[in-house]
Amino acid sequence: MPYLVRLADRALRDMEAIYEFIHAESSETAFAWFNDLALEIHSLERFPERGAVTQESKKLRQLLFGKKPSTYRIIYALDKRKRLVSVLHIRHSARAPLSAKEKRQL
């Protein structure tokens, strides 16, 4: 039975920002890359445990998407009891790890 994948408001804002940043509206290649990102996120319904535990918290997992220099971290929480994947944040992998304040905001 698949898990439900839910995107938090922050993750939705992250998706919108990425879409605008890569100019997906005006580039077929960027649009295809963005769609692949969305498919990767939704593939967590079938394989939610494949992401590694993050360095910031043992309660969070991350899935890396893309090739350098365009690798993004899909940060999510997994609730096995509820069969729920909560995608919390999507950030470029070159950025510093989550700060304590950012972790609290998730």
Side-chain angles (χ1 to χ4, degrees):
M1 179 180 212
Y3 280 62
L4 174 64
V5 176
R6 194 176 288 163
L7 275 76
D9 289 341
R10 178 166 186 171
L12 289 170
R13 287 191 307 272
D14 295 337
M15 291 284 289
E16 288 174 12
I18 292 167
Y19 186 86
E20 290 174 13
F21 179 75
I22 65 171
H23 303 289
E25 286 181 358
S26 58
S27 167
E28 286 184 33
T29 304
F31 185 74
W33 183 91
F34 183 82
N35 280 339
D36 289 345
L37 172 64
L39 289 172
E40 189 74 8
I41 290 168
H42 288 289
S43 73
L44 290 168
E45 354 177 271
R46 294 194 159 280
F47 305 107
E49 293 186 62
R50 78 174 185 272
V53 173
T54 66
Q55 63 184 4
E56 297 95 344
S57 172
K58 292 180 181 180
K59 294 180 182 181
L60 299 176
R61 292 180 170 269
Q62 70 178 4
L63 188 61
L64 298 178
F65 174 79
K67 296 177 184 169
K68 286 186 178 184
S70 299
T71 306
Y72 282 80
R73 295 173 61 204
I74 302 164
I75 300 171
Y76 65 98
L78 177 61
D79 186 332
K80 292 180 185 179
R81 198 170 36 91
K82 293 181 180 177
R83 301 193 61 82
L84 175 66
V85 174
S86 298
V87 178
L88 305 171
H89 187 31
I90 304 163
R91 67 192 279 135
H92 198 280
S93 63
R95 291 179 63 189
L98 294 171
S99 67
K101 181 180 177 181
E102 288 176 313
K103 282 191 285 186
R104 284 191 304 271
Q105 291 173 344
L106 296 178

mmCIF file of all heavy atoms in Angstrom, residues 33-70:
data_model
loop_
_atom_site.group_PDB
_atom_site.id
_atom_site.type_symbol
_atom_site.label_atom_id
_atom_site.label_comp_id
_atom_site.label_asym_id
_atom_site.label_seq_id
_atom_site.Cartn_x
_atom_site.Cartn_y
_atom_site.Cartn_z
ATOM 1 N N TRP A 33 13.198 19.165 -16.493
ATOM 2 C CA TRP A 33 13.927 18.950 -15.244
ATOM 3 C C TRP A 33 12.998 19.147 -14.057
ATOM 4 O O TRP A 33 13.002 18.354 -13.110
ATOM 5 C CB TRP A 33 15.112 19.926 -15.162
ATOM 6 C CG TRP A 33 15.968 19.730 -13.949
ATOM 7 C CD1 TRP A 33 17.055 18.940 -13.836
ATOM 8 C CD2 TRP A 33 15.780 20.331 -12.660
ATOM 9 N NE1 TRP A 33 17.566 19.018 -12.567
ATOM 10 C CE2 TRP A 33 16.803 19.872 -11.825
ATOM 11 C CE3 TRP A 33 14.850 21.225 -12.139
ATOM 12 C CZ2 TRP A 33 16.920 20.257 -10.499
ATOM 13 C CZ3 TRP A 33 14.958 21.609 -10.817
ATOM 14 C CH2 TRP A 33 15.987 21.135 -10.010
ATOM 15 N N PHE A 34 12.193 20.197 -14.100
ATOM 16 C CA PHE A 34 11.263 20.484 -13.007
ATOM 17 C C PHE A 34 10.245 19.350 -12.862
ATOM 18 O O PHE A 34 9.942 18.925 -11.747
ATOM 19 C CB PHE A 34 10.551 21.819 -13.252
ATOM 20 C CG PHE A 34 9.644 22.213 -12.141
ATOM 21 C CD1 PHE A 34 10.147 22.840 -11.013
ATOM 22 C CD2 PHE A 34 8.288 21.956 -12.208
ATOM 23 C CE1 PHE A 34 9.312 23.197 -9.969
ATOM 24 C CE2 PHE A 34 7.440 22.316 -11.173
ATOM 25 C CZ PHE A 34 7.960 22.935 -10.040
ATOM 26 N N ASN A 35 9.730 18.852 -13.978
ATOM 27 C CA ASN A 35 8.788 17.731 -13.918
ATOM 28 C C ASN A 35 9.439 16.488 -13.323
ATOM 29 O O ASN A 35 8.801 15.747 -12.574
ATOM 30 C CB ASN A 35 8.220 17.425 -15.303
ATOM 31 C CG ASN A 35 7.118 18.371 -15.685
ATOM 32 O OD1 ASN A 35 6.498 19.013 -14.842
ATOM 33 N ND2 ASN A 35 6.870 18.491 -16.970
ATOM 34 N N ASP A 36 10.706 16.258 -13.659
ATOM 35 C CA ASP A 36 11.421 15.129 -13.078
ATOM 36 C C ASP A 36 11.579 15.294 -11.563
ATOM 37 O O ASP A 36 11.487 14.314 -10.817
ATOM 38 C CB ASP A 36 12.791 14.957 -13.734
ATOM 39 C CG ASP A 36 12.700 14.447 -15.165
ATOM 40 O OD1 ASP A 36 11.623 13.948 -15.570
ATOM 41 O OD2 ASP A 36 13.712 14.562 -15.891
ATOM 42 N N LEU A 37 11.804 16.522 -11.117
ATOM 43 C CA LEU A 37 11.866 16.798 -9.681
ATOM 44 C C LEU A 37 10.536 16.433 -9.019
ATOM 45 O O LEU A 37 10.507 15.757 -7.987
ATOM 46 C CB LEU A 37 12.207 18.267 -9.428
ATOM 47 C CG LEU A 37 12.121 18.760 -7.972
ATOM 48 C CD1 LEU A 37 13.131 18.051 -7.088
ATOM 49 C CD2 LEU A 37 12.328 20.270 -7.912
ATOM 50 N N ALA A 38 9.440 16.857 -9.622
ATOM 51 C CA ALA A 38 8.114 16.543 -9.071
ATOM 52 C C ALA A 38 7.872 15.033 -9.043
ATOM 53 O O ALA A 38 7.334 14.497 -8.056
ATOM 54 C CB ALA A 38 7.035 17.247 -9.884
ATOM 55 N N LEU A 39 8.275 14.333 -10.091
ATOM 56 C CA LEU A 39 8.112 12.871 -10.134
ATOM 57 C C LEU A 39 8.957 12.199 -9.051
ATOM 58 O O LEU A 39 8.518 11.228 -8.430
ATOM 59 C CB LEU A 39 8.494 12.331 -11.509
ATOM 60 C CG LEU A 39 7.534 12.659 -12.644
ATOM 61 C CD1 LEU A 39 8.134 12.233 -13.983
ATOM 62 C CD2 LEU A 39 6.182 11.997 -12.428
ATOM 63 N N GLU A 40 10.155 12.710 -8.832
ATOM 64 C CA GLU A 40 11.027 12.158 -7.788
ATOM 65 C C GLU A 40 10.381 12.313 -6.409
ATOM 66 O O GLU A 40 10.399 11.397 -5.597
ATOM 67 C CB GLU A 40 12.390 12.857 -7.820
ATOM 68 C CG GLU A 40 13.421 12.218 -6.938
ATOM 69 C CD GLU A 40 13.964 10.914 -7.487
ATOM 70 O OE1 GLU A 40 13.669 10.545 -8.639
ATOM 71 O OE2 GLU A 40 14.698 10.250 -6.747
ATOM 72 N N ILE A 41 9.786 13.460 -6.169
ATOM 73 C CA ILE A 41 9.100 13.691 -4.895
ATOM 74 C C ILE A 41 7.946 12.704 -4.734
ATOM 75 O O ILE A 41 7.800 12.063 -3.695
ATOM 76 C CB ILE A 41 8.610 15.144 -4.801
ATOM 77 C CG1 ILE A 41 9.808 16.088 -4.652
ATOM 78 C CG2 ILE A 41 7.627 15.322 -3.641
ATOM 79 C CD1 ILE A 41 9.476 17.549 -4.834
ATOM 80 N N HIS A 42 7.156 12.562 -5.767
ATOM 81 C CA HIS A 42 5.994 11.678 -5.656
ATOM 82 C C HIS A 42 6.356 10.198 -5.686
ATOM 83 O O HIS A 42 5.557 9.361 -5.275
ATOM 84 C CB HIS A 42 4.955 12.046 -6.706
ATOM 85 C CG HIS A 42 4.281 13.342 -6.376
ATOM 86 N ND1 HIS A 42 3.400 13.473 -5.329
ATOM 87 C CD2 HIS A 42 4.408 14.576 -6.898
ATOM 88 C CE1 HIS A 42 3.007 14.724 -5.232
ATOM 89 N NE2 HIS A 42 3.605 15.420 -6.169
ATOM 90 N N SER A 43 7.573 9.877 -6.097
ATOM 91 C CA SER A 43 8.003 8.479 -6.052
ATOM 92 C C SER A 43 8.195 8.014 -4.606
ATOM 93 O O SER A 43 8.306 6.814 -4.350
ATOM 94 C CB SER A 43 9.296 8.286 -6.848
ATOM 95 O OG SER A 43 10.400 8.843 -6.173
ATOM 96 N N LEU A 44 8.215 8.955 -3.676
ATOM 97 C CA LEU A 44 8.323 8.588 -2.262
ATOM 98 C C LEU A 44 7.095 7.824 -1.775
ATOM 99 O O LEU A 44 7.158 7.186 -0.728
ATOM 100 C CB LEU A 44 8.556 9.840 -1.403
ATOM 101 C CG LEU A 44 9.923 10.495 -1.562
ATOM 102 C CD1 LEU A 44 9.938 11.866 -0.906
ATOM 103 C CD2 LEU A 44 11.012 9.609 -0.990
ATOM 104 N N GLU A 45 6.008 7.866 -2.536
ATOM 105 C CA GLU A 45 4.827 7.083 -2.121
ATOM 106 C C GLU A 45 5.160 5.599 -2.091
ATOM 107 O O GLU A 45 4.630 4.873 -1.272
ATOM 108 C CB GLU A 45 3.594 7.240 -3.024
ATOM 109 C CG GLU A 45 3.572 8.178 -4.091
ATOM 110 C CD GLU A 45 2.301 8.152 -4.924
ATOM 111 O OE1 GLU A 45 2.233 7.394 -5.886
ATOM 112 O OE2 GLU A 45 1.397 8.936 -4.612
ATOM 113 N N ARG A 46 6.013 5.140 -2.984
ATOM 114 C CA ARG A 46 6.341 3.719 -3.054
ATOM 115 C C ARG A 46 7.623 3.364 -2.299
ATOM 116 O O ARG A 46 7.757 2.245 -1.811
ATOM 117 C CB ARG A 46 6.463 3.270 -4.489
ATOM 118 C CG ARG A 46 5.155 3.340 -5.231
ATOM 119 C CD ARG A 46 5.281 2.559 -6.526
ATOM 120 N NE ARG A 46 4.001 2.158 -7.051
ATOM 121 C CZ ARG A 46 3.294 1.120 -6.645
ATOM 122 N NH1 ARG A 46 3.728 0.371 -5.671
ATOM 123 N NH2 ARG A 46 2.149 0.823 -7.207
ATOM 124 N N PHE A 47 8.567 4.265 -2.257
ATOM 125 C CA PHE A 47 9.866 3.972 -1.645
ATOM 126 C C PHE A 47 10.268 5.070 -0.653
ATOM 127 O O PHE A 47 11.281 5.741 -0.833
ATOM 128 C CB PHE A 47 10.939 3.828 -2.734
ATOM 129 C CG PHE A 47 10.590 2.815 -3.786
ATOM 130 C CD1 PHE A 47 10.207 3.230 -5.052
ATOM 131 C CD2 PHE A 47 10.628 1.468 -3.505
ATOM 132 C CE1 PHE A 47 9.871 2.311 -6.029
ATOM 133 C CE2 PHE A 47 10.299 0.530 -4.477
ATOM 134 C CZ PHE A 47 9.919 0.952 -5.739
ATOM 135 N N PRO A 48 9.508 5.234 0.413
ATOM 136 C CA PRO A 48 9.762 6.364 1.324
ATOM 137 C C PRO A 48 11.030 6.241 2.170
ATOM 138 O O PRO A 48 11.556 7.243 2.622
ATOM 139 C CB PRO A 48 8.521 6.378 2.210
ATOM 140 C CG PRO A 48 8.052 4.967 2.203
ATOM 141 C CD PRO A 48 8.354 4.457 0.819
ATOM 142 N N GLU A 49 11.530 5.035 2.349
ATOM 143 C CA GLU A 49 12.688 4.859 3.230
ATOM 144 C C GLU A 49 14.016 4.931 2.487
ATOM 145 O O GLU A 49 15.070 4.789 3.093
ATOM 146 C CB GLU A 49 12.571 3.539 3.976
ATOM 147 C CG GLU A 49 11.409 3.538 4.950
ATOM 148 C CD GLU A 49 11.357 2.293 5.790
ATOM 149 O OE1 GLU A 49 12.332 2.066 6.542
ATOM 150 O OE2 GLU A 49 10.372 1.550 5.689
ATOM 151 N N ARG A 50 13.980 5.185 1.191
ATOM 152 C CA ARG A 50 15.233 5.174 0.440
ATOM 153 C C ARG A 50 16.099 6.402 0.689
ATOM 154 O O ARG A 50 17.288 6.368 0.460
ATOM 155 C CB ARG A 50 14.977 4.983 -1.033
ATOM 156 C CG ARG A 50 14.522 6.196 -1.766
ATOM 157 C CD ARG A 50 14.461 5.842 -3.253
ATOM 158 N NE ARG A 50 14.136 6.978 -4.053
ATOM 159 C CZ ARG A 50 12.922 7.372 -4.345
ATOM 160 N NH1 ARG A 50 11.897 6.706 -3.881
ATOM 161 N NH2 ARG A 50 12.704 8.418 -5.089
ATOM 162 N N GLY A 51 15.513 7.471 1.191
ATOM 163 C CA GLY A 51 16.292 8.663 1.506
ATOM 164 C C GLY A 51 17.132 8.453 2.749
ATOM 165 O O GLY A 51 16.732 7.764 3.687
ATOM 166 N N ALA A 52 18.313 9.052 2.748
ATOM 167 C CA ALA A 52 19.214 8.945 3.895
ATOM 168 C C ALA A 52 18.752 9.861 5.026
ATOM 169 O O ALA A 52 18.093 10.874 4.791
ATOM 170 C CB ALA A 52 20.624 9.339 3.466
ATOM 171 N N VAL A 53 19.119 9.504 6.236
ATOM 172 C CA VAL A 53 18.860 10.354 7.399
ATOM 173 C C VAL A 53 19.734 11.596 7.245
ATOM 174 O O VAL A 53 20.890 11.513 6.839
ATOM 175 C CB VAL A 53 19.176 9.594 8.705
ATOM 176 C CG1 VAL A 53 19.077 10.511 9.910
ATOM 177 C CG2 VAL A 53 18.251 8.393 8.853
ATOM 178 N N THR A 54 19.177 12.758 7.562
ATOM 179 C CA THR A 54 19.931 14.003 7.411
ATOM 180 C C THR A 54 20.964 14.159 8.527
ATOM 181 O O THR A 54 20.815 13.581 9.602
ATOM 182 C CB THR A 54 19.013 15.245 7.425
ATOM 183 O OG1 THR A 54 18.420 15.368 8.717
ATOM 184 C CG2 THR A 54 17.947 15.175 6.360
ATOM 185 N N GLN A 55 21.968 14.995 8.255
ATOM 186 C CA GLN A 55 22.968 15.282 9.286
ATOM 187 C C GLN A 55 22.395 16.178 10.368
ATOM 188 O O GLN A 55 22.891 16.206 11.486
ATOM 189 C CB GLN A 55 24.200 15.922 8.664
ATOM 190 C CG GLN A 55 23.935 17.261 8.012
ATOM 191 C CD GLN A 55 25.168 17.819 7.316
ATOM 192 O OE1 GLN A 55 26.208 17.179 7.255
ATOM 193 N NE2 GLN A 55 25.046 19.023 6.803
ATOM 194 N N GLU A 56 21.323 16.895 10.059
ATOM 195 C CA GLU A 56 20.744 17.832 11.019
ATOM 196 C C GLU A 56 19.849 17.159 12.056
ATOM 197 O O GLU A 56 19.736 17.630 13.173
ATOM 198 C CB GLU A 56 19.909 18.895 10.296
ATOM 199 C CG GLU A 56 20.681 19.770 9.353
ATOM 200 C CD GLU A 56 20.642 19.287 7.908
ATOM 201 O OE1 GLU A 56 20.277 18.126 7.660
ATOM 202 O OE2 GLU A 56 20.983 20.085 7.036
ATOM 203 N N SER A 57 19.197 16.059 11.666
ATOM 204 C CA SER A 57 18.253 15.412 12.581
ATOM 205 C C SER A 57 18.007 13.978 12.155
ATOM 206 O O SER A 57 17.800 13.702 10.977
ATOM 207 C CB SER A 57 16.928 16.171 12.597
ATOM 208 O OG SER A 57 15.959 15.469 13.326
ATOM 209 N N LYS A 58 17.974 13.092 13.120
ATOM 210 C CA LYS A 58 17.670 11.690 12.827
ATOM 211 C C LYS A 58 16.200 11.492 12.484
ATOM 212 O O LYS A 58 15.815 10.444 11.981
ATOM 213 C CB LYS A 58 18.054 10.813 14.012
ATOM 214 C CG LYS A 58 19.547 10.737 14.239
ATOM 215 C CD LYS A 58 19.892 9.862 15.406
ATOM 216 C CE LYS A 58 21.401 9.842 15.599
ATOM 217 N NZ LYS A 58 21.807 9.013 16.707
ATOM 218 N N LYS A 59 15.389 12.490 12.750
ATOM 219 C CA LYS A 59 13.954 12.399 12.451
ATOM 220 C C LYS A 59 13.642 12.801 11.015
ATOM 221 O O LYS A 59 12.523 12.620 10.556
ATOM 222 C CB LYS A 59 13.162 13.287 13.408
ATOM 223 C CG LYS A 59 13.229 12.829 14.833
ATOM 224 C CD LYS A 59 12.437 13.742 15.738
ATOM 225 C CE LYS A 59 12.536 13.300 17.180
ATOM 226 N NZ LYS A 59 11.762 14.161 18.069
ATOM 227 N N LEU A 60 14.630 13.370 10.325
ATOM 228 C CA LEU A 60 14.420 13.836 8.954
ATOM 229 C C LEU A 60 15.232 12.994 7.984
ATOM 230 O O LEU A 60 16.298 12.498 8.305
ATOM 231 C CB LEU A 60 14.838 15.302 8.815
ATOM 232 C CG LEU A 60 14.092 16.312 9.671
ATOM 233 C CD1 LEU A 60 14.701 17.704 9.484
ATOM 234 C CD2 LEU A 60 12.616 16.324 9.329
ATOM 235 N N ARG A 61 14.695 12.872 6.781
ATOM 236 C CA ARG A 61 15.381 12.163 5.709
ATOM 237 C C ARG A 61 15.579 13.123 4.553
ATOM 238 O O ARG A 61 14.891 14.132 4.449
ATOM 239 C CB ARG A 61 14.565 10.959 5.245
ATOM 240 C CG ARG A 61 14.483 9.862 6.285
ATOM 241 C CD ARG A 61 13.665 8.687 5.752
ATOM 242 N NE ARG A 61 13.763 7.555 6.627
ATOM 243 C CZ ARG A 61 14.670 6.590 6.513
ATOM 244 N NH1 ARG A 61 15.532 6.615 5.533
ATOM 245 N NH2 ARG A 61 14.705 5.602 7.366
ATOM 246 N N GLN A 62 16.493 12.752 3.667
ATOM 247 C CA GLN A 62 16.700 13.576 2.487
ATOM 248 C C GLN A 62 16.886 12.685 1.270
ATOM 249 O O GLN A 62 17.429 11.594 1.346
ATOM 250 C CB GLN A 62 17.911 14.481 2.656
ATOM 251 C CG GLN A 62 19.233 13.756 2.656
ATOM 252 C CD GLN A 62 20.400 14.706 2.787
ATOM 253 O OE1 GLN A 62 20.229 15.899 2.942
ATOM 254 N NE2 GLN A 62 21.605 14.177 2.731
ATOM 255 N N LEU A 63 16.406 13.185 0.182
ATOM 256 C CA LEU A 63 16.571 12.539 -1.105
ATOM 257 C C LEU A 63 17.274 13.566 -1.986
ATOM 258 O O LEU A 63 16.834 14.713 -2.053
ATOM 259 C CB LEU A 63 15.191 12.188 -1.671
ATOM 260 C CG LEU A 63 15.129 11.343 -2.912
ATOM 261 C CD1 LEU A 63 15.779 9.981 -2.682
ATOM 262 C CD2 LEU A 63 13.669 11.142 -3.298
ATOM 263 N N LEU A 64 18.377 13.172 -2.597
ATOM 264 C CA LEU A 64 19.103 14.085 -3.474
ATOM 265 C C LEU A 64 18.581 13.940 -4.890
ATOM 266 O O LEU A 64 18.348 12.823 -5.363
ATOM 267 C CB LEU A 64 20.600 13.801 -3.424
ATOM 268 C CG LEU A 64 21.270 13.977 -2.065
ATOM 269 C CD1 LEU A 64 22.746 13.624 -2.147
ATOM 270 C CD2 LEU A 64 21.092 15.394 -1.552
ATOM 271 N N PHE A 65 18.402 15.078 -5.555
ATOM 272 C CA PHE A 65 17.907 15.068 -6.931
ATOM 273 C C PHE A 65 18.764 15.982 -7.788
ATOM 274 O O PHE A 65 19.084 17.098 -7.389
ATOM 275 C CB PHE A 65 16.442 15.540 -6.996
ATOM 276 C CG PHE A 65 15.959 15.671 -8.400
ATOM 277 C CD1 PHE A 65 15.581 14.552 -9.115
ATOM 278 C CD2 PHE A 65 15.930 16.898 -9.031
ATOM 279 C CE1 PHE A 65 15.174 14.658 -10.432
ATOM 280 C CE2 PHE A 65 15.517 17.020 -10.338
ATOM 281 C CZ PHE A 65 15.140 15.894 -11.044
ATOM 282 N N GLY A 66 19.087 15.518 -8.975
ATOM 283 C CA GLY A 66 19.829 16.323 -9.932
ATOM 284 C C GLY A 66 21.303 15.989 -9.922
ATOM 285 O O GLY A 66 21.782 15.195 -9.120
ATOM 286 N N LYS A 67 21.992 16.584 -10.861
ATOM 287 C CA LYS A 67 23.432 16.389 -10.991
ATOM 288 C C LYS A 67 24.126 17.705 -10.687
ATOM 289 O O LYS A 67 23.579 18.776 -10.949
ATOM 290 C CB LYS A 67 23.769 15.949 -12.412
ATOM 291 C CG LYS A 67 23.174 14.596 -12.763
ATOM 292 C CD LYS A 67 23.478 14.223 -14.191
ATOM 293 C CE LYS A 67 22.777 12.913 -14.513
ATOM 294 N NZ LYS A 67 22.806 12.608 -15.921
ATOM 295 N N LYS A 68 25.336 17.613 -10.154
ATOM 296 C CA LYS A 68 26.085 18.832 -9.852
ATOM 297 C C LYS A 68 26.236 19.647 -11.117
ATOM 298 O O LYS A 68 26.445 19.086 -12.175
ATOM 299 C CB LYS A 68 27.455 18.482 -9.283
ATOM 300 C CG LYS A 68 27.384 17.983 -7.869
ATOM 301 C CD LYS A 68 28.783 17.786 -7.317
ATOM 302 C CE LYS A 68 28.678 17.326 -5.873
ATOM 303 N NZ LYS A 68 29.962 17.189 -5.235
ATOM 304 N N PRO A 69 26.074 20.909 -11.071
ATOM 305 C CA PRO A 69 25.932 21.772 -9.893
ATOM 306 C C PRO A 69 24.480 22.034 -9.504
ATOM 307 O O PRO A 69 24.208 22.922 -8.725
ATOM 308 C CB PRO A 69 26.605 23.056 -10.353
ATOM 309 C CG PRO A 69 26.272 23.137 -11.806
ATOM 310 C CD PRO A 69 26.279 21.696 -12.284
ATOM 311 N N SER A 70 23.552 21.277 -10.055
ATOM 312 C CA SER A 70 22.123 21.530 -9.806
ATOM 313 C C SER A 70 21.485 20.442 -8.954
ATOM 314 O O SER A 70 20.414 19.941 -9.278
ATOM 315 C CB SER A 70 21.383 21.645 -11.139
ATOM 316 O OG SER A 70 21.896 22.708 -11.893
#
